[in-house]
């Protein structure tokens, strides 16, 4: 993909919002920027429609700032709060129907490999827990069984948030939500373990309260999916609106839950993926020394 795609069409310069112009001018395309450069470029238009303090919005900002090659990345989204954000981001994105995001991503990745055999084209699914675990689990797992070269990122906000607060497969046991007044009866689905068993070469759980580590995890997941096999990242970003937390306390709540052991940071790397990532590190170090 050409970086020219992100230029404003001639004749529209006057009517485009100032924020968008800034994003086109100073965005991260082709500049090899990362989490530590956040604040020096715009990866997301600020006046997005997600609630104040939404941990998903923060997670998405961090993901976008961590993509190894944003101008050659396509994000496939699905229905949910996160889908409201995609029109505001600075990378190519596709909105799929609720739950079929991994099937769409699979077809897209295969088409890109045929159309651009000599170029790297990354395809990453970013979807909520409803789309990934509940409605889309069949297609998610089929893509892993077939070893499709895509990254699946789940924004785990632990609830069907934008439809009023039904429990999801990822809501914690006992959670009382607007539309689950008696409390959820069974524990969170252990999707990281399922992903590993289903054939993912790289699996990690992380939260936006650990931004640098999140950046590293996303980068590793995308790189592994280029060459080795499917990868899965689960980002713990509970919804302050449905859990009725003050928006300023979300990161503290995430840290508290990590301390209590309710949320754990984990990483699984297959031996083949480990060797591949080590090779990339050697090449990177060599390039930096030249
Ligand atoms: S409802 Fe929750 S997950 Fe959805 S935008 Fe608001 S805070 Fe974020």
């Amino acid at each position: 993909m050409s970086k020219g795609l992100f230029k404003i069409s001639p004749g529209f310069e006057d009517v485009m919002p100032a924020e968008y112009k800034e994003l086109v001018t100073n965005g991260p395309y082709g500049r090899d920027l990362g989490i530590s450069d956040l604040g020096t470029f715009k990866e997301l238009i600020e006046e997005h429609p997600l609630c104040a303090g939404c941990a998903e919005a923060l997670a998405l900002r961090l993901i976008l700032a961590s993509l190894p090659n944003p101008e050659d990345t396509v994000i496939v989204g699905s229905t949910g709060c996160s889908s409201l954000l995609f029109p505001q981001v600075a990378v190519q994105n596709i909105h799929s129907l609720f739950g079929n995001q991994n099937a769409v991503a699979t077809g897209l990745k295969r088409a890109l490999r045929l159309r651009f055999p000599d170029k790297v084209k990354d395809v990453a699914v970013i979807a909520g827990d409803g789309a990934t675990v509940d409605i889309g689990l069949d297609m998610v797992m089929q893509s892993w069984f077939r070893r499709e070269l895509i990254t699946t990122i789940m924004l785990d906000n632990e609830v069907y948030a934008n439809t009023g607060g039904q429990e999801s497969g990822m809501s914690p046991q006992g959670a009382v939500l607007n539309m689950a007044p008696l409390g959820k009866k069974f524990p969170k689905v252990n999707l990281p373990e399922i992903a590993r068993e289903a054939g993912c070469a790289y699996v990690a759980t992380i939260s936006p309260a650990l931004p640098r580590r999140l950046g590293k995890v996303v980068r590793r997941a995308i790189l592994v999916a280029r060459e080795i096999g499917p990868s899965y990242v689960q980002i713990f970003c509970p919804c302050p609106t449905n859990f009725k937390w003050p928006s300023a306390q979300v990161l503290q709540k995430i840290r508290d839950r990590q301390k209590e052991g309710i949320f754990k940071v984990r990483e699984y790397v297959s031996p083949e993926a480990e060797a591949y990532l080590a090779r990339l590190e050697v090449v990177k170090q060599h390039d930096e020394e030249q």
Side-chain angles (χ1 to χ4, degrees):
M1 265 162 236
S2 160
K3 281 183 272 175
L5 277 177
F6 296 100
K7 289 198 170 64
I8 295 171
S9 301
F12 284 86
E13 293 89 349
D14 293 345
V15 295
M16 293 305 284
E19 262 207 294
Y20 189 81
K21 285 189 211 167
E22 212 263 311
L23 186 143
V24 170
T25 311
N26 298 323
Y29 323 116
R31 295 170 58 202
D32 198 23
L33 302 176
I35 296 278
S36 51
D37 303 298
L38 269 173
T40 64
F41 65 92
K42 213 163 247 192
E43 67 298 325
L44 178 71
I45 292 179
E46 282 159 20
E47 292 178 7
H48 60 71
L50 271 57
C51 309
C54 176
E56 274 196 8
L58 177 55
L60 193 54
R61 284 194 68 198
L62 297 171
I63 295 167
L64 293 170
S66 315
L67 297 173
N69 203 4
E71 61 272 24
D72 284 307
T73 302
V74 185
I75 291 176
V76 182
S78 194
T79 307
C81 288
S82 62
S83 63
L84 303 175
L85 212 54
F86 289 125
Q88 325 271 329
V89 304
V91 291
Q92 315 285 334
N93 65 86
I94 294 175
H95 179 73
S96 71
L97 294 177
F98 209 170
N100 74 358
Q101 62 279 353
N102 280 54
V104 171
T106 295
L108 176 66
K109 178 73 185 198
R110 290 182 181 207
L112 287 171
R113 279 164 74 89
L114 287 171
R115 175 68 181 79
F116 303 102
D118 303 326
K119 290 188 180 168
V120 169
K121 300 285 178 186
D122 297 321
V123 176
V125 167
I126 303 180
D129 40 313
T132 309
V133 162
D134 294 306
I135 294 171
L137 186 59
D138 178 10
M139 283 172 274
V140 170
M141 286 189 59
Q142 292 297 328
S143 73
W144 292 342
F145 293 152
R146 291 193 309 266
R147 308 290 192 266
E148 302 291 349
L149 294 174
I150 57 175
T151 300
T152 303
I153 300 177
M154 186 226 279
L155 297 172
D156 176 17
N157 68 357
E158 301 198 297
V159 60
Y160 282 85
N162 74 344
T163 47
Q166 296 87 356
E167 69 180 43
S168 82
M170 298 306 289
S171 302
Q173 186 162 17
V176 174
L177 296 153
N178 292 340
M179 295 195 204
L182 299 180
K184 191 183 172 210
K185 299 276 187 289
F186 61 95
K188 279 172 85 91
V189 175
N190 190 349
L191 198 59
E193 192 59 29
I194 294 171
R196 195 175 66 79
E197 290 288 327
C200 285
Y202 181 85
V203 178
T205 56
I206 191 67
S207 86
L210 298 163
R212 282 180 195 277
R213 186 132 179 212
L214 187 151
K216 189 176 172 193
V217 158
V218 168
R219 198 174 170 85
R220 284 159 74 89
I222 300 261
L223 293 174
V224 167
R226 273 186 193 169
E227 297 277 340
I228 308 298
S231 55
Y232 173 62
V233 177
Q234 186 166 309
I235 303 185
F236 183 60
C237 45
C239 163
T241 300
N242 278 280
F243 285 98
K244 302 183 174 46
W245 298 335
S247 52
Q249 289 181 14
V250 178
L251 288 181
Q252 191 53 51
K253 295 275 186 192
I254 293 173
R255 287 188 199 105
D256 291 347
R257 293 185 71 177
Q258 190 178 351
K259 269 191 210 140
E260 290 159 16
I262 296 167
F263 160 69
K264 292 190 179 76
V265 174
R266 287 187 286 177
E267 189 181 49
Y268 161 76
V269 193
S270 74
E272 202 184 356
E274 186 95 61
Y276 169 72
L277 289 170
R279 272 202 313 277
L280 289 184
E281 278 304 313
V282 171
V283 172
K284 189 168 168 238
Q285 205 172 343
H286 178 264
D287 289 349
E288 283 168 1
E289 284 165 6
Q290 295 308 300

